[in-house]
Amino acid sequence: MSTDPAPDADAGTGPAGRPDAAPGRRFEPDLRSMTRINLRPIASPMPLGFFTVAIASAMTGCAQLGLFEAGARSAVALCVLPAFALQLLVSVLAFGARDVIAATLMAVFAGSWLAYALVVLDGAADGPRVLGVFNLALLAFGALMTAVTRPKRALWLVLAVSLPRWAAAGLSGLTGAEGLTRTSGALGLVVALVAMYAAFALMLEDMRSEEVLPLGRSGPAHAAVEGDLAVQLRDLERQAGVRRTL
């Protein structure tokens, strides 16, 4: 998105050039009629984001369920590490698409995969407790995000199933309870299934230009998909990147 003011042919003869102009003051012409805001359509990055959540959640869930040998923890961390780069890319593209909710959520998911991979690869003795506190912080973040993501039902559903997983993983890291670790692993597989469904449904919708599998959008999210161009450009002049301050 960019603003391209047309050149002012009379810039040198404007009010600033008057001999009676107050020193230090600038007089600028009204540029609103000469300003153009350019929008660039992009492919939706959300299927990539959800598929990444699904794969990384499946890997960590299987590790917590004990499906891998204890020595495979480093290998799991290395498999999860690329999820950081992929979801960071999704976040950047979502910011460019003017979707702050999706961008914020994907950026935090990206950070969580990076933190998990680095702590596991480091192998510090107190690593599980650190990850426990980290997961409880994610739980607080997710609880706040669910309050604003309800119209985006796919995002909301992935968050809703992630909350109990973060709670179980956090308590497991702090207490070392094996049962909580297994519970977190099982919930990780549930998160993977939900994220996989959301990614597949969004890809089908994009390919066929219509909703094939239910996504449950409502309110502004539904209007953004079903509305005309006027709906997409509503209040554009007050959005970040156009207005002067964030």
Side-chain angles (χ1 to χ4, degrees):
M1 182 186 300
S2 61
T3 57
D4 301 318
D8 181 15
D10 300 326
T13 61
R18 297 182 309 184
D20 58 340
R25 296 188 62 185
R26 297 180 59 193
F27 295 87
E28 298 178 353
D30 186 353
L31 299 179
R32 286 176 294 181
S33 62
M34 298 179 283
T35 299
R36 299 294 181 266
I37 299 174
N38 302 319
L39 303 177
R40 184 179 65 181
I42 64 172
S44 172
M46 295 311 294
L48 172 61
F50 283 131
F51 273 130
T52 304
V53 171
I55 295 171
S57 296
M59 293 300 299
T60 55
C62 289
Q64 290 174 316
L65 287 172
L67 300 182
F68 304 128
E69 298 293 335
R73 287 175 57 84
S74 296
V76 172
L78 289 174
C79 287
V80 169
L81 189 57
F84 160 71
L86 291 175
Q87 293 211 263
L88 185 61
L89 172 63
V90 172
S91 175
V92 171
L93 293 175
F95 276 120
R98 301 181 293 147
D99 193 332
V100 66
I101 294 176
T104 301
L105 184 63
M106 289 295 139
V108 172
F109 268 118
S112 70
W113 302 130
L114 179 62
Y116 171 85
L118 293 179
V119 170
V120 171
L121 288 173
D122 180 69
D126 211 30
R129 290 181 60 84
V130 172
L131 285 179
V133 174
F134 182 73
N135 278 288
L136 292 180
L138 286 177
L139 176 64
F141 159 79
L144 293 175
M145 287 292 290
T146 53
V148 295
T149 56
R150 186 173 292 273
K152 298 174 177 289
R153 197 56 57 85
L155 282 173
W156 181 86
L157 192 56
V158 171
L159 267 176
V161 295
S162 295
L163 291 179
R165 194 211 178 172
W166 286 330
L171 294 175
S172 168
L174 292 177
T175 64
E178 188 68 22
L180 287 172
T181 302
R182 305 290 187 191
T183 301
S184 176
L187 290 171
L189 298 184
V190 175
V191 172
L193 290 174
V194 172
M196 193 78 71
Y197 170 84
F200 186 64
L202 287 171
M203 287 193 70
L204 282 179
E205 180 182 70
D206 188 71
M207 291 173 59
R208 302 188 184 181
S209 300
E210 61 179 1
E211 186 177 279
V212 180
L213 296 175
L215 285 166
R217 293 188 185 95
S218 62
H222 182 266
V225 174
E226 301 295 336
D228 57 17
L229 186 60
V231 174
Q232 317 304 320
L233 302 182
R234 184 179 300 160
D235 297 327
L236 182 62
E237 67 275 12
R238 286 184 287 276
Q239 294 187 5
V242 179
R243 65 177 187 258
R244 179 166 296 188
T245 177
L246 295 176

